C-alpha cells in the first residue's frame, strides 16, 4: 500500500502530475542469440512497482552498472526470491512515495539505494533501511555508483576481516567498481593499501586515489607483495579472482591474515593446501551481498553511512538508459576505470 502525507486522491494526482500513469519504462532483456553473443537490452513499458511495508518508491535519476547485471542478463545470476526481475542493484533519485510503516518525511528527499533488483527503470522500490542520503551538492550519477561497491567493500574488509588502522591490505583489481571504492575505504580506515592493476595508467589512478603500492598483475604479484611488505605479507586480501588466484592469495597472507573472496573471475573450483591455513593461522571468507536478508543489509547500510560522505566514486562513463547494452559492453573494455552509470532522467 502506498503511503504519503497526502490524501490518496491528492497523492495519486501528484504522482500523475509527475508523469506517473501506472506504467514506466524499464530495461527488458532478450537472451543472447547464441554462444558468444550478447543479450539485447531494450526499453519496454512495464507496471510501476508499489512500495510494500517499510519500502519507498524511488523516482530513479541514475542507476549504477554492476558486473552482476551482466551475469543476470546472460541468465547466470537469477534475482533472489521476491526481488524485481529488472536489472539493477543500485540507484539514486527522489523518494516519491512510501509504503506502510516507512517514514513519510522521506518523500521529496534525494537518496541512493542498495536494491535487490529493479534499478534499470524509471521507478524502483527499495527498503527505507537501504537508503543513503545524497548530499545537496552531489550529482545523482555519482550517488548511484556508490551503494553496492561501498557495502561490498565495507562488509568484506571491516565486517568480515576486521581491517583496522596500521594493517596492510591487498585489493585485487583496484581499477574495478568495487576495487577503487575499497582503496578509498581502506585509506579512510588508516590501512596501508597495495593493489593490483592490468595497466600502468590504472596503477597511477589507484595511487591518486590513495593506494600506497600498485602492482601490475601481469608481473609476479607474490614477489611484489613480499617486496612491499618486507616478506611479511598482508593482513587482509579483498579478492575478485577466486580459484585462479587462491594459492597465490594464501601465500601472500601474513600470519593471522584474512582472505575475503567476492568474485570468481578466474573460476570457482581450486585445490587448497590446508597446511597453508594451519601453519600461518589464516582464514578464508566468501560472501555475496545480494542474497543477504533485509536486516543484514540494513545493518551494513547503517555502518557505511558513516563513510559515504567521504567517498566519491570514479565514474568512467554516464550512458543513457536506452543504451544500457553499450554500458554493459563498456564493462568489458580494458580502458574502463571505476564505475559505469546509466542516466535515467
Ligand atoms: N560478492 C559480492 O557481494 C560482490 C559484490 C559486488 C561485486 N562482486 C563481484 O566482484 C567482482 C568485481 O566487481 P566489479 O564491479 O569491481 O567489477 P569490474 O568493475 O568489472 O572490475 C573487475 C576488476 O577485476 C580486475 N582484474 C581482472 N583480471 C585480473 C587479474 N588477473 N588480477 C587482478 N585483477 C584483475 C580488473 O582489473 P583491470 O581493469 O586492471 O584489468 C578490474 O579492476 C565481480 O566478479 C563481481 O561480480 C561481488
Amino acid at each position: 500500500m502506498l503511503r504519503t502525507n497526502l490524501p490518496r486522491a491528492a497523492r495519486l494526482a501528484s504522482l500523475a502530475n509527475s508523469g506517473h500513469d501506472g506504467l514506466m519504462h524499464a530495461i527488458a532483456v532478450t537472451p543472447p542469440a547464441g554462444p558468444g553473443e550478447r543479450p539485447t537490452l531494450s526499453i519496454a513499458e512495464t507496471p510501476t512497482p508499489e512500495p510494500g511495508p517499510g519500502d519507498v518508491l524511488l523516482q530513479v535519476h541514475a542507476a549504477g552498472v554492476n558486473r552482476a547485471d551482466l551475469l543476470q542478463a546472460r541468465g547466470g545470476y537469477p534475482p533472489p526470491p521476491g526481488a524485481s526481475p529488472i536489472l539493477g542493484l543500485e540507484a539514486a533519485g527522489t523518494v516519491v512515495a512510501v509504503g506502510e510503516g516507512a517514514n513519510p518525511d522521506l518523500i521529496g528527499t534525494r537518496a541512493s539505494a542498495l536494491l535487490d533488483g529493479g534499478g534499470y527503470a524509471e521507478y524502483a522500490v527499495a527498503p527505507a533501511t537501504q537508503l543513503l542520503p545524497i548530499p545537496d551538492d552531489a550529482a545523482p550519477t555519482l550517488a548511484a555508483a556508490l551503494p553496492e561497491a561501498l557495502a561490498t567493500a565495507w562488509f568484506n574488509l571491516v565486517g568480515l576481516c576486521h581491517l583496522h588502522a596500521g594493517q596492510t591490505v591487498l585489493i585485487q583489481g583496484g581499477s574495478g567498481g568495487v576495487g577503487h571504492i575499497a582503496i578509498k575505504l581502506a585509506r579512510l580506515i588508516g590501512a596501508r593499501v597495495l593493489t593490483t592493476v592490468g595497466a600502468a595508467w590504472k596503477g597511477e589512478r589507484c595511487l591518486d586515489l590513495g593506494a600506497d603500492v600498485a602492482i601490475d598483475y601481469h608481473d609476479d604479484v607474490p614477489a611484489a607483495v613480499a617486496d612491499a611488505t618486507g616478506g611479511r605479507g598482508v593482513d587482509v586480501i579483498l579478492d575478485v579472482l577466486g580459484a585462479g588466484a587462491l594459492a597465490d592469495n594464501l601465500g601472500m597472507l601474513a600470519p593471522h591474515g584474512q582472505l575475503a573472496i567476492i568474485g570468481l573471475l578466474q573460476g570457482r573450483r581450486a585445490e587448497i593446501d590446508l597446511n597453508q591455513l594451519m601453519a600461518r593461522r589464516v582464514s578464508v571468507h566468501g560472501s555475496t551481498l545480494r542474497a543477504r536478508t533485509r536486516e543484514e543489509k540494513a545493518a551494513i547500510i547503517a555502518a557505511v553511512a558513516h563513510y559515504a560522505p567521504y567517498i566519491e566514486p570514479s565514474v568512467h562513463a554516464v550512458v543513457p538508459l536506452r543504451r544500457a547494452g553499450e554500458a554493459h559492453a563498456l564493462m568489458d573494455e580494458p580502458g574502463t576505470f571505476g564505475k559505469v552509470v546509466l542516466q535515467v532522467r
Side-chain angles (χ1 to χ4, degrees):
M1 178 183 132
L2 288 174
R3 178 162 172 223
T4 76
N5 45 11
L6 300 171
R8 181 175 169 80
R11 178 182 77 224
L12 293 177
S14 133
L15 284 175
N17 288 342
S18 66
H20 179 87
D21 57 2
L23 291 175
M24 65 172 186
H25 292 111
I27 289 295
V29 179
T30 308
E37 299 285 318
R38 285 185 178 277
T40 305
L41 307 188
S42 52
I43 293 276
E45 239 180 15
T46 184
T48 303
E50 285 213 1
D55 291 337
V56 305
L57 182 67
L58 202 63
Q59 186 170 34
V60 177
H61 295 227
V65 176
N66 286 280
R67 194 145 285 279
D69 305 340
L70 279 70
L71 293 177
Q72 183 176 332
R74 289 185 176 280
Y77 192 52
S84 167
I86 298 169
L87 300 178
L89 298 177
E90 59 190 348
T94 304
V95 176
V96 290
V98 298
E100 202 160 345
N103 181 358
D105 292 343
L106 287 169
I107 294 168
T109 61
R110 298 194 316 154
S112 61
L114 180 68
L115 303 172
D116 300 334
Y120 289 22
E122 290 178 305
Y123 293 88
V125 164
T129 50
Q130 290 173 212
L131 299 181
L132 289 168
I134 303 179
D136 287 343
D137 56 348
T141 44
L142 284 180
L146 194 60
E148 173 78 12
L150 181 56
T152 301
W154 180 87
F155 179 73
N156 285 277
L157 292 180
V158 183
L160 284 178
C161 297
H162 308 291
L163 181 70
H164 55 262
Q167 288 193 316
T168 301
V169 60
L170 172 65
I171 312 287
Q172 292 277 25
S175 70
V178 175
H180 85 288
I181 296 291
I183 291 173
K184 291 190 166 203
L185 176 64
R187 281 299 296 199
L188 273 178
I189 289 166
R192 181 167 182 250
V193 181
L194 282 50
T195 191
T196 54
V197 290
W201 69 268
K202 292 188 178 187
E204 292 297 327
R205 290 281 301 272
C206 289
L207 297 179
D208 289 344
L209 296 182
D212 297 281
V213 179
I215 302 163
D216 190 322
Y217 61 65
H218 301 101
D219 295 339
D220 186 341
V221 176
V225 167
D227 193 42
T229 59
R232 177 180 172 272
V234 295
D235 300 293
V236 173
I237 299 177
L238 182 67
D239 177 56
V240 294
L241 301 170
L246 183 62
D248 279 354
N249 279 336
L250 292 177
M252 291 188 285
L253 286 173
H256 298 282
Q258 311 217 40
L259 166 63
I261 301 173
I262 63 162
L264 302 171
L265 297 175
Q266 291 186 351
R268 60 168 61 188
R269 290 186 193 280
E271 259 190 24
I272 188 167
D273 178 354
L274 293 171
N275 192 48
Q276 279 186 298
L277 270 61
M278 292 159 59
R280 280 175 300 115
R281 300 165 299 285
V282 302
S283 312
V284 180
H285 306 273
S287 73
T288 58
L289 181 62
R290 190 182 199 182
R292 304 192 84 85
T293 63
R294 273 171 95 114
E295 291 72 23
E296 289 170 323
K297 288 180 184 172
I300 293 170
I301 290 297
V304 304
H306 170 65
Y307 296 101
Y310 307 105
I311 297 185
E312 184 173 296
S314 298
V315 172
H316 175 77
V318 179
V319 178
L321 180 67
R322 67 177 185 284
R323 286 168 38 202
E326 291 171 42
H328 278 203
L330 266 181
M331 293 284 286
D332 290 330
E333 293 288 328
T336 301
F337 187 104
K339 296 280 297 193
V340 175
V341 170
L342 295 170
Q343 178 95 52
V344 180
R345 267 174 82 84

